[in-house]
Amino acid sequence: MKKKTICAFLAVTMATTTMAQQNDSNAPLHLMKPAYTHDYGALTVEKVKNDLSRVFNFVEQNTPARMENGKPVSGAFRLTSYEWGVTYSAMLAATQATGDKKYRDYTFDRLRFITEHAKHYRQVSSPAALDDAGAVCAAMIKASLQDKNLKLDERIRHYMDYILHQEYRLRDGTFARTRPQHNTVWLDDMFMGVPPIAWYGLYDKDNAADHFNEAVCQIRGFKDRMWVPEVKLFRHGWVESMSPHPSFHWARANGWAILTMCEVLDALPENHEGRAEIMQLLKLHAEGLAACQGANGFWHQLLNRTDSYEETSATAIYAYCLAHAINKGWLDAKAYGPVAVLAWHAVSSKINEKGQVEDVCVGTGMGFDPAFYYYRPVNVFAAHGYGPVIWAGAEIINLINNQHMQLNDSALQFYDEDPQTNEPIFHVK
């Protein structure tokens, strides 16, 4: 029975049973519409593009790149923060996915601006932490690989000198901090430090092997201390002098970890000896994360504690990483495609009319009790949400264009080829 015929039959049947209780004998109950909290299943490129444009417009209006009275004009977000480094990488991906050069132009314009006026930005002129250097440097490298005329080389090498030679480390070379305890490893630093090293291997080709090897060694160092195999998740923090090591699976930090693996796999040569190891870790992490996704498509602030709140930035990072891994052929679309699409629906529901991203956890230190994470505030001006949302939307567009998805018995399914059925294939440009 064709879909239109089914719908007409359902309407007539429901109408004729208004005076009687619907039951299995007098109504096709399996065709009743589920009470989803937001969209399910269908996705179009146009809808995702509209979401991205709304976010872009808000971001552009709130991040001016101009001088007044000899100083940079301040906006709502900092052009040199690691959160904006994520946003720059996301913008570059958005141009590739949408074909709209406004995203690339935004990134090129801001990177030129902070480079030309570096003396006004302490994080640019004198980086003192991976947060200052890593994400922005990775974006600069990607931008320079696209356009050699950007003249970012001096700044890139300045950042990389800090990352490779000045950042604090443990005895085995793993990135670490001296807070909140001496010799503390933060899962966040896996992303703040490792992707720029891997991308630097494509930029500084004379020393490429050293950079690729260092990126792999760093991932191993983090895995040895942070990975919890029983749940296939990372703990947020590890303190050398602490025993035992509490495992608080903070969502955004786990996002930084899987994003790191995606970034390193993108840069690492196909024949590198560490590639298979990282790929296996990514697959295990994806499995652990998928098991934690909530009914509304979100992940919770603490991944395995469903009474903690649903958090948008982590959900966006997972939407990107799962979709990206599917599009790269690293993960099975049948298993993870519905997870990524459901995640994007969740993220999309948090983009308000102004283009602000809602329910994003603010900057977060490290704690060893649940209340610390449960009660972290959320704010539309938490910069952590904007890059992940743009990155996720861009990769979801690629997913729509590259994969074949369709509703089957009301559930979203992914197929190797366009199925020849009467139900709609949501592969709409």
Side-chain angles (χ1 to χ4, degrees):
M1 186 180 294
K2 291 186 177 181
K3 187 172 183 180
K4 288 184 178 179
T5 306
I6 292 173
C7 292
F9 170 69
L10 177 61
V12 171
T13 303
M14 294 303 183
T16 58
T17 57
T18 54
M19 300 303 292
Q21 184 179 8
Q22 296 174 14
N23 58 46
D24 188 51
S25 297
N26 62 26
L29 300 179
H30 69 287
L31 294 178
M32 293 178 67
K33 186 177 181 180
Y36 295 119
T37 58
H38 48 257
D39 291 343
Y40 176 86
L43 275 177
T44 67
V45 168
E46 196 60 34
K47 172 62 167 63
V48 180
K49 283 183 176 180
N50 288 340
D51 283 340
L52 291 184
S53 287
R54 201 158 67 252
V55 175
F56 174 84
N57 290 337
F58 174 74
V59 164
E60 185 180 41
Q61 292 165 12
N62 285 276
T63 51
R66 66 179 188 274
M67 301 288 288
E68 284 185 7
N69 300 320
K71 294 182 180 180
V73 175
S74 296
F77 304 101
R78 294 170 294 137
L79 296 179
T80 61
S81 68
Y82 73 82
E83 299 96 330
W84 237 241
V86 177
T87 303
Y88 297 138
S89 285
M91 293 278 193
L92 295 176
T95 284
Q96 292 178 339
T98 67
D100 193 333
K101 295 180 180 179
K102 69 183 179 186
Y103 300 101
R104 184 200 64 190
D105 292 345
Y106 173 93
T107 296
F108 286 6
D109 181 64
R110 268 59 177 184
L111 292 180
R112 284 194 197 99
F113 183 82
I114 64 175
T115 297
E116 292 170 1
H117 302 285
K119 67 179 181 180
H120 294 284
Y121 298 104
R122 195 275 308 162
Q123 290 171 299
V124 180
S125 60
S126 302
L130 289 177
D131 286 4
D132 295 342
V136 174
C137 184
M140 283 188 172
I141 293 171
K142 294 173 193 176
S144 292
L145 290 173
Q146 291 186 20
D147 187 343
K148 299 293 185 182
N149 297 319
L150 285 175
K151 299 180 180 178
L152 302 176
D153 183 71
E154 180 182 358
R155 215 32 57 189
I156 289 170
R157 295 186 185 277
H158 185 63
Y159 277 135
M160 289 307 305
D161 178 68
Y162 176 83
I163 294 168
L164 292 172
H165 306 299
Q166 300 179 51
E167 174 61 23
Y168 187 78
R169 299 173 182 234
L170 300 180
R171 286 185 294 273
D172 70 352
T174 303
F175 291 134
R177 306 190 195 190
T178 57
R179 65 178 180 89
Q181 304 282 344
H182 185 65
N183 284 357
T184 297
V185 179
W186 295 57
L187 188 58
D188 317 55
D189 286 343
M190 187 172 169
F191 176 75
M192 305 306 160
V194 181
I197 296 173
W199 283 103
Y200 200 45
L202 299 178
Y203 185 86
D204 179 28
K205 293 184 179 180
D206 290 341
N207 301 290
D210 291 340
H211 302 320
F212 293 140
N213 292 340
E214 173 66 10
V216 171
C217 286
Q218 286 291 336
I219 290 178
R220 287 171 178 157
F222 280 91
K223 177 189 174 185
D224 289 346
R225 296 168 175 87
M226 319 295 277
W227 180 246
V228 183
E230 295 80 9
V231 291
K232 299 177 183 175
L233 300 171
F234 287 91
R235 59 172 59 92
H236 182 204
W238 179 93
V239 177
E240 188 174 62
S241 62
M242 185 180 288
S243 181
H245 296 288
S247 295
F248 288 94
H249 305 296
W250 182 38
R252 191 158 64 223
N254 271 264
W256 296 140
I258 194 170
L259 182 55
T260 296
M261 289 184 274
C262 288
E263 287 278 272
V264 171
L265 288 171
D266 280 344
L268 208 62
E270 290 290 333
N271 62 354
H272 193 279
E273 57 87 20
R275 189 175 181 86
E277 181 181 351
I278 297 172
M279 188 74 72
Q280 178 63 14
L281 183 58
L282 180 143
K283 290 179 178 180
L284 290 172
H285 197 198
E287 186 177 342
L289 291 170
C292 295
Q293 188 177 31
N296 297 324
F298 292 97
W299 279 264
H300 292 267
Q301 169 79 335
L302 287 177
L303 291 170
N304 58 344
R305 301 198 183 200
T306 57
D307 59 338
S308 63
Y309 62 80
E310 295 174 335
E311 204 281 327
T312 306
S313 67
T315 300
I317 296 172
Y318 302 149
Y320 167 76
C321 291
L322 296 177
H324 186 67
I326 292 166
N327 289 328
K328 286 285 190 175
W330 305 335
L331 292 179
D332 184 358
K334 297 182 186 69
Y336 292 101
V339 180
V341 170
L342 185 62
W344 175 255
H345 280 309
V347 169
S348 176
S349 74
K350 294 298 181 180
I351 302 171
N352 67 28
E353 288 303 311
K354 295 180 180 179
Q356 297 169 326
V357 179
E358 300 175 338
D359 291 339
V360 174
C361 177
V362 300
T364 298
M366 184 181 297
F368 296 105
D369 62 84
F372 173 76
Y373 294 98
Y374 274 63
Y375 291 96
R376 292 302 293 158
V378 297
N379 196 289
V380 294
F381 288 100
H384 313 71
Y386 291 89
V389 167
I390 294 170
W391 222 341
E395 199 62 38
I396 289 294
I397 289 172
N398 293 334
L399 190 75
I400 297 169
N401 288 331
N402 296 337
Q403 306 296 327
H404 309 291
M405 60 185 93
Q406 170 183 313
L407 291 181
N408 188 312
D409 280 342
S410 300
L412 184 65
Q413 304 287 342
F414 277 64
Y415 296 91
D416 295 331
E417 298 178 354
D418 284 353
Q420 300 301 310
T421 72
N422 292 320
E423 293 204 40
I425 296 173
F426 298 114
H427 188 170
V428 185
K429 293 185 180 180

